[in-house]
Amino acid sequence: MQRERLAPRGDWQAKVERLGMDFHTFGGQPYWGEAACYAFTGAEIDVIEAATAELHALCLEAVERLVNGGDLERVAIPEMFWHWIAESWRRHDPGLFGRFDLAYDGSAPPKMLEYNADTPTALLEAAVIQWHWLEEVRPGRDQFNLIHERLIDEWKAVKARINPAWRVYFTGVLDEPEDLGTVEYMRDVCEQAGLAGQCLDIAEVGWDGKDFTDLAGRPIRVLFKLYPWEWLLSEDFAPHLLVSRTAFIEAPWKMLLSNKAILPILWEMFPGHPNLLPASFRRSDFSGPCVQKSVHGREGDGVCLLAAGDAGDAAECIWQALCPLPVFDDRYAIIGSWVIGNNAAGIGIREDPQPITGNSSVFVPHYLS
Amino acid sequence: MDPDRRRSLMVNLSVLGIASAIAIPYLPAGAEFRRNLYRDRESCIRDYSADQCERPQNGAGSGGGAHGGGLWRGPRYYSDRSLPEARSDPGAGRLGLASGNETSIRGGFGRVGRALRAVG
């Protein structure tokens, strides 16, 4: 695993915009960063792929245990939704995608920092933008990136489960360019799988007393939502979730995995696993420095590094052993390892001068050397 | 598939590029909307216009109103006509020829997302 510096393409902004990425710059700084790339060996990719598959399997075991145990209080989910979540697991409602954040330096086993299993971001960048970058900048080379074709396969599997005449709706906070880009990309792959798709903003979803509806009053039978489950459960329409006929993607059971409480539960179930970090519901289990994570935090929000004497907060947090990200050219690098369906499908890399990855951390492409 | 290949063979996109054309209307939280229902297309057109009237598809039109599917439907408008947003919607119809209406509520999702985005 090596970081290579290189000259960006002169018209890279126009090129990524043509692929639907008009959120390539935040605050005047590039978010899509092609002034560098990472080179991996095939053996390193094999390690990441195997760790991702293994971690996903562990996570599914954890869901099974949580659902069968019937106690979802540990993951801070209101009791009124427990049965509904369990039913979605027992029905095998589809989980389309997720992204593990891994600490990996090319030598030690990858460590799971968290699993963004509900609303993972940086999808378009990983699946499309870096693929086209590779075609132009490293032609003839390979990349660990089967995300696009695996997504189409998964949408075909969804099509086989539903009435293929149903329209699939895609929702999120669509006046946010990044969210809109991701939602539009997901609609694109859905349509390539042979289903009709339509976008609507999350606030435009209606309720007519029986069904969630679109702006024309049509029932929404399938809804892809780039909007976290924990937000939906706290909003006015939440009680309607329990009685609606809408099939949600991601499925309700995925909220058990996107929740940071899954980290100590995994450690309880698989202590000492080489791809897991020690994690606990108690700060006192760590005598030295550790990382505090808000149970429902996202994109670095609610994450803080605690020194040995720091007490931390008590409310809805978990604590995880400190595992510093590898540093390349003064930048901390994190691997986002994608799961599509139940398969490891590719990676994206984010860099930041700070040790905590946030939503403005730069996305950097990769290739297989 | 070539077992050694680690990347997608092709990454073609079909619908991207139109995303920026989507306009997000402001919807007050809990906003109730109404659509008038008509026994025939002519009545609907007299209240609105031809391009504002539609026959619901199977399975639609089953809302909170007294009448179900099979009826012609006018455009969506705010139930509360005193709202500022109601000034620019199609309204309740010119002549009041509707045989019923259906209601839906919007804005019940999205509050947290917009609040967090606003401060983030």
Side-chain angles (χ1 to χ4, degrees), chain A residues 95-153:
Chain A
L96 204 63
F97 70 153
R99 193 198 73 231
F100 283 101
D101 282 345
L102 303 177
Y104 180 59
D105 61 3
S107 56
K111 299 288 189 185
M112 173 184 172
L113 301 175
E114 60 189 56
Y115 192 12
N116 301 287
D118 181 19
T119 58
T121 55
L123 176 66
L124 180 68
E125 301 88 301
V128 178
I129 310 298
Q130 71 169 348
W131 189 94
H132 284 271
W133 168 89
L134 182 80
E135 288 279 294
E136 190 173 342
V137 179
R138 290 285 188 271
R141 296 301 183 109
D142 208 351
Q143 186 177 71
F144 184 32
N145 183 6
L146 292 159
I147 300 169
H148 183 82
E149 62 185 42
R150 290 259 163 87
L151 278 174
I152 294 173
D153 289 344

Side-chain angles (χ1 to χ4, degrees), chain A residues 45-46 49 131-132 135 142-143 145 149 175 179 188 192 201 203-204 206-207 214 216 227 231 234-235 237, chain B residues 6-9 11-12 14-16 19 25 27 35 73 105-114 116-117:
Chain A
I45 293 298
D46 288 345
E49 184 176 24
W131 189 94
H132 284 271
E135 288 279 294
D142 208 351
Q143 186 177 71
N145 183 6
E149 62 185 42
D175 47 4
D179 290 11
D188 195 308
Q192 291 190 48
D201 186 77
E204 295 176 325
W207 176 255
D214 70 5
Y227 195 85
W231 295 358
S234 70
E235 296 187 328
F237 277 176
Chain B
R6 311 299 288 265
R7 68 187 180 115
S8 301
L9 204 52
V11 177
N12 292 326
S14 56
V15 301
L16 284 172
L27 291 170
R35 297 187 82 179
R73 303 158 89 218
I105 302 171
R106 288 173 205 281
F109 285 141
R111 172 181 51 80
V112 177
R114 287 229 147 61
L116 291 179
R117 296 288 187 184

Side-chain angles (χ1 to χ4, degrees), chain A residues 17-54:
Chain A
E17 284 171 10
R18 278 198 291 275
L19 294 168
M21 187 184 185
D22 53 5
F23 50 96
H24 51 67
T25 303
F26 290 154
Q29 298 298 315
Y31 162 66
W32 165 257
E34 57 176 67
C37 68
Y38 282 82
F40 289 87
T41 65
E44 289 166 342
I45 293 298
D46 288 345
V47 168
I48 294 171
E49 184 176 24
T52 302
E54 167 77 0

